[in-house]
Amino acid sequence: MKDDRGNLDLTKQIEDLKLQVETYEELMGDTKKLKWEVKKLESEIIKKDNLIQGMKRIITYLSEKK
């Protein structure tokens, strides 16, 4: 269906603005999800790095012990 209302029609402007708000809200929700995923990945990286550092210390300790 064709919308024949002009750009100066206030109801059309309101509908357009509501659509923009909905779009921004969806984008914000997506952004929050992505930020959460990044935080989870950062946490995993830190855990793995700590594990590697611990293994390096063990290897160094065992190498020096011989």
Side-chain angles (χ1 to χ4, degrees), residues 25-59:
E25 286 174 342
E26 287 178 23
L27 288 172
M28 286 175 52
D30 292 344
T31 301
K32 287 179 182 180
K33 289 177 188 174
L34 286 172
K35 283 178 70 175
W36 174 247
E37 289 298 319
V38 168
K39 285 185 180 192
K40 287 190 334 188
L41 290 172
E42 286 175 340
S43 175
E44 286 298 314
I45 290 170
I46 291 169
K47 286 179 188 176
K48 302 278 189 222
D49 189 52
N50 289 339
L51 184 62
I52 290 170
Q53 294 304 320
M55 289 179 176
K56 283 182 180 178
R57 285 190 208 108
I58 291 170
I59 291 169

